[in-house]
């Protein structure tokens, strides 16, 4: 039997044990998030919005963060024939992986609520906690969006907190620039 580690396949086992475990959790589907952010009687009319380079530049200029996607998943929300707001699904990067979240926005441009649909990071899942997400309710573009000032930071999840805060501001910017006229 050879003492050479490269001839012995057992040398791979310790490496597998050292690697950080991959964590990916889906918490809500889009229909579940829609029902949490709006009335169960609400109707959701899909209105995906396509952004060209100029529109993406305008969003970045106003929101302070870039619009990565050309197509943004958006639903117009109506109930009993009345406009109730917008439901938008988005992704932001946490530390290394994407966080998929949804925001309900009122016709007047205020956050009705935010739900985390998928969280793929190994740390920082506290952004899913109701108390942290509730800090977004009522926020609108006329308010500051400062981490540790208007929205508290979570130790160990600073990048997730900051990027979700920036993402919500970007979605409010999209609502103001491109959706408010369709209300």
């Amino acid at each position: 039997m050879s003492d050479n580690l490269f001839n012995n396949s057992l040398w791979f086992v310790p490496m597998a044990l050292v690697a950080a475990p991959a964590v990916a959790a889906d918490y809500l589907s889009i229909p579940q998030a829609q029902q949490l952010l709006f009335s169960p009687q609400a109707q959701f009319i899909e209105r995906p919005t396509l952004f060209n380079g100029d529109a993406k530049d305008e969003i970045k200029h106003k929101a302070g963060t870039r619009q990565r996607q050309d197509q943004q998943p958006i639903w117009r929300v109506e109930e009993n024939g009345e406009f109730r707001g917008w439901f938008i699904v988005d992704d932001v990067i946490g530390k290394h992986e994407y966080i998929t979240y949804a925001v309900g926005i009122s016709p007047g441009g205020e956050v009705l609520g935010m739900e985390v649909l998928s969280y793929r990071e190994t740390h920082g899942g506290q952004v899913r906690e109701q108390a942290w997400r509730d800090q977004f309710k009522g926020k609108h573009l006329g308010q500051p969006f400062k981490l540790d000032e208007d929205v508290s930071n979570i130790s160990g999840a600073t990048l997730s907190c900051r990027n979700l805060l920036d993402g919500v501001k970007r979605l409010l910017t999209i609502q103001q620039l491109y959706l408010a006229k369709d209300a």
Side-chain angles (χ1 to χ4, degrees):
M1 183 146 123
S2 171
D3 288 331
N4 183 343
L5 285 178
F6 294 107
N7 291 331
N8 184 344
S9 63
L10 292 178
W11 75 277
F12 287 107
V13 174
M15 294 304 290
L17 296 175
V18 174
V23 174
D26 293 327
Y27 298 103
L28 295 171
S29 66
I30 289 173
Q32 289 170 326
Q34 289 172 332
Q35 297 305 305
L36 289 171
L37 293 171
F38 289 93
S39 160
Q41 291 77 33
Q43 288 116 11
F44 296 85
I45 301 119
E46 200 167 354
R47 186 187 182 273
T49 303
L50 187 63
F51 296 113
N52 63 24
D54 290 340
K56 289 165 70 173
D57 289 343
E58 184 178 23
I59 293 165
K60 181 179 179 179
H61 176 73
K62 179 141 177 121
T65 186
R66 73 183 180 99
Q67 174 69 23
R68 289 183 337 277
Q69 302 170 347
D70 290 339
Q71 185 168 322
Q72 185 70 54
I74 299 173
W75 288 259
R76 179 184 169 93
V77 184
E78 294 181 2
E79 185 177 344
N80 298 323
E82 292 184 34
F83 175 58
R84 295 292 186 204
W86 301 99
F87 176 84
I88 306 176
V89 175
D90 193 42
D91 291 304
V92 294
I93 195 80
K95 183 173 183 178
H96 302 290
E97 304 294 334
Y98 284 107
I99 302 166
T100 303
Y101 68 105
V103 176
I105 301 174
S106 76
E110 291 184 350
V111 174
L112 298 171
M114 190 247 288
E115 294 291 338
V116 175
L117 281 63
S118 296
Y119 192 81
R120 298 166 183 92
E121 294 287 351
T122 58
H123 294 78
Q126 300 92 325
V127 296
R128 290 190 56 248
E129 293 178 6
Q130 185 73 44
W132 189 81
R133 290 181 295 106
D134 280 348
Q135 297 175 90
F136 289 90
K137 285 185 181 176
K139 286 197 82 52
H140 56 84
L141 284 178
Q143 297 175 315
F145 278 73
K146 300 276 188 199
L147 189 62
D148 271 339
E149 291 180 27
D150 345 90
V151 173
S152 63
N153 188 26
I154 298 170
S155 180
T158 300
L159 293 174
S160 295
C161 293
R162 180 178 295 124
N163 293 340
L164 282 166
L165 182 65
D166 290 347
V168 170
K169 182 178 182 183
R170 183 173 37 78
L171 296 183
L172 287 171
T173 300
I174 289 170
Q175 184 273 337
Q176 184 182 73
L177 292 174
Y178 300 102
L179 303 174
K181 61 183 173 248
D182 294 339

